[in-house]
Amino acid sequence: MTTAYDDNQLGRARVADTPELTAYYGELAERDAGALWSVANDIEPWYPQPKSVPVLWRYEELRPLVRKALDLVNADDAGRRVVMLVNPGRKDVSAAVGLLYTGLQIMGPGEAMTAHRHQAAALRFVHEGTGAWTIVDGQKLRVGPRDFAITPNGTWHEHGNESDDGPVIWQDGLDIPLVNALDAGFYEVHPELYQKPGKVINSSVLTYGANLLPYGVEKWTRPYSPLLAYPWEPTYESLRQLARASEGSPYDGVIAEYTNPVTGGSVMPTMGAHMQLLRPGQATKAHRHTGSVIYTVAKGRGESVIGGKRFAWKEGDIFCVPSWAWHEHSNLDQDDDACLFSFNDFPVMRSLGFYREEAYADNAGHQPTA
Ligand code: GTQ
């Protein structure tokens, strides 16, 4: 029996075990009950106590293992050929951090996966390969390196690689652990296995991609962005323009959120995404916030200090920041900018009133490192 005895402070549980209490706890347990004071300090911590730890996954180490999966399993048998990134503290729920899942999916030349839909929402960030496509609710999208695309929850989706000169590797980001934590998961295979896409490729990008709200199209009332793909070039160009017009954030450099063009809100109800640019040599200050973040290095090289630990990164690497962990980023290239793509569960935090943020006050805003 554990005793909540760590915080010997007024207003906190501080009941020591005695033989009578231990026997009493046993009697309660036999009736599927328990004494709150024996767990109170654990279940109501002073501040968030994530099980997740900061992790950096090196693309050059994972890439050969991801490619190996091409030979080891065929896509139809595996359903999706994905190497998951698993946080050592969240193996029980297959999360990369917090309640977010991520993995590297590989599709060989000419491959096409069957269509399905599920309660979990998904997003893609392309690492390499030229032939990637996905059909989301009947709309075919072509995506290339550093492009970002969404598969909102409940939409039919299938993917493939139509190039004949090499595999596609893209990163999947899903809220699977969140959906499961809420016992809300559903999954369906498409009755015809494959969708019949409309003729126009990237139609949502053609419709919504230029900061203009189109007339004469279906009035958009669904809770996710009608724009399903966000190509790299205009995203990068926008950040460079923003860098000319604004100082940016002291914690994140020049940063912008991918938005639903109809509402200005996050791309999906459970997950948001950002692209940020660190100027040559820029070192940001540390802050922390509730909500978990998974970062992918889109361009350049640098390092981040997360929870007092230093992680050096370069293009393709993936790292995570657990909720409430201090973090700051540096671009180690003095001549070129660095860009970080990231996705998060901030929309969940915000809609539940759980979002909090705090600046690191000491040491000129930088964490001490070992
Ligand atoms: O493509 O919908 O990496 O359902 C894991 C689960 C991708 C997907 C993953 C999925 C998907």
Side-chain angles (χ1 to χ4, degrees):
M1 183 64 53
T2 56
T3 307
Y5 207 55
D6 322 311
D7 303 295
N8 192 15
Q9 299 183 46
L10 287 179
R12 296 294 270 185
R14 49 202 168 95
V15 178
D17 280 350
T18 61
E20 289 96 317
L21 275 171
T22 304
Y24 172 66
Y25 296 153
E27 284 182 280
L28 289 176
E30 274 171 35
R31 286 157 188 83
D32 297 317
L36 171 64
W37 63 86
S38 69
V39 297
N41 297 352
D42 296 328
I43 67 171
E44 293 184 292
W46 297 109
Y47 50 85
Q49 303 284 340
K51 294 196 187 98
S52 304
V53 294
V55 183
L56 174 100
W57 292 272
R58 285 190 186 79
Y59 193 65
E60 68 184 17
E61 288 176 12
L62 284 174
R63 187 173 185 269
L65 292 169
V66 173
R67 292 187 70 112
K68 216 175 192 172
L70 259 188
D71 306 324
L72 290 173
V73 287
N74 85 45
D76 281 338
D77 293 344
R80 301 276 182 265
R81 200 192 288 101
V82 182
V83 170
M84 305 185 298
L85 308 189
V86 185
N87 196 288
R90 301 253 70 184
K91 288 182 192 158
D92 52 338
V93 294
S94 298
V97 66
L99 295 172
L100 295 174
Y101 158 104
T102 201
L104 290 168
Q105 177 158 183
I106 185 162
M107 294 175 287
E111 272 188 344
M113 318 280 159
T114 52
H116 67 195
R117 66 177 175 184
H118 36 65
Q119 191 82 300
L123 56 82
R124 328 282 168 195
F125 184 77
V126 181
H127 281 252
E128 58 178 287
T130 52
W133 58 266
T134 169
I135 304 171
V136 179
D137 258 358
Q139 179 184 151
K140 183 162 180 175
L141 302 162
R142 285 206 180 97
V143 285
R146 298 165 169 163
D147 290 354
F148 165 57
I150 60 169
T151 306
N153 79 312
T155 56
W156 292 113
H157 55 284
E158 62 197 90
H159 340 290
N161 172 0
E162 61 196 6
S163 80
D164 42 24
D165 64 341
V168 160
I169 300 178
W170 76 27
Q171 186 179 344
D172 293 321
L174 290 97
D175 55 5
I176 290 172
L178 171 73
V179 172
N180 289 338
L182 296 171
D183 290 331
F186 292 91
Y187 190 102
E188 280 173 88
V189 173
H190 195 280
E192 279 146 37
L193 286 184
Y194 299 97
Q195 301 172 77
K196 292 182 189 71
K199 277 200 205 69
V200 183
I201 310 281
N202 289 1
S203 66
S204 73
V205 181
L206 301 175
T207 306
Y208 285 101
N211 301 323
L212 297 166
L213 203 57
Y215 280 27
V217 301
E218 177 201 340
K219 185 172 159 47
W220 192 259
T221 54
R222 291 180 229 178
Y224 54 84
S225 172
L227 179 59
L228 299 177
Y230 300 76
W232 160 253
E233 277 82 11
T235 304
Y236 180 53
E237 189 52 27
S238 295
L239 281 181
R240 286 168 54 101
Q241 306 283 17
L242 176 57
R244 292 172 56 193
S246 156
E247 198 49 46
S249 148
Y251 313 110
D252 286 305
V254 181
I255 182 164
E257 181 170 7
Y258 293 91
T259 55
N260 174 336
V262 175
T263 63
S266 57
V267 289
M268 295 186 285
T270 55
M271 290 189 289
H274 294 94
M275 184 66 82
Q276 71 195 79
L277 177 150
L278 302 170
R279 294 183 165 91
Q282 180 174 11
T284 68
K285 291 187 172 181
H287 76 157
R288 65 180 175 185
H289 46 69
T290 50
S292 305
V293 186
I294 295 173
Y295 291 85
T296 304
V297 183
K299 177 176 185 289
R301 62 188 178 86
E303 63 178 30
S304 297
V305 182
I306 309 163
K309 221 174 141 187
R310 198 178 293 275
F311 296 90
W313 42 254
K314 62 181 192 218
E315 191 171 325
D317 290 351
I318 299 164
F319 60 92
C320 69
V321 173
S323 185
W324 210 236
W326 296 113
H327 56 284
E328 58 197 277
H329 312 293
S330 305
N331 178 359
L332 293 181
D333 194 321
Q334 302 300 323
D335 302 314
D336 199 1
D337 53 44
C339 293
L340 300 174
F341 167 79
S342 63
F343 69 96
N344 60 66
D345 57 7
F346 298 166
V348 176
M349 294 295 165
R350 292 211 165 95
S351 58
L352 299 178
F354 292 166
Y355 190 79
R356 278 207 206 188
E357 186 180 357
E358 198 171 274
Y360 192 83
D362 301 334
N363 198 27
H366 298 290
Q367 304 157 78
T369 51

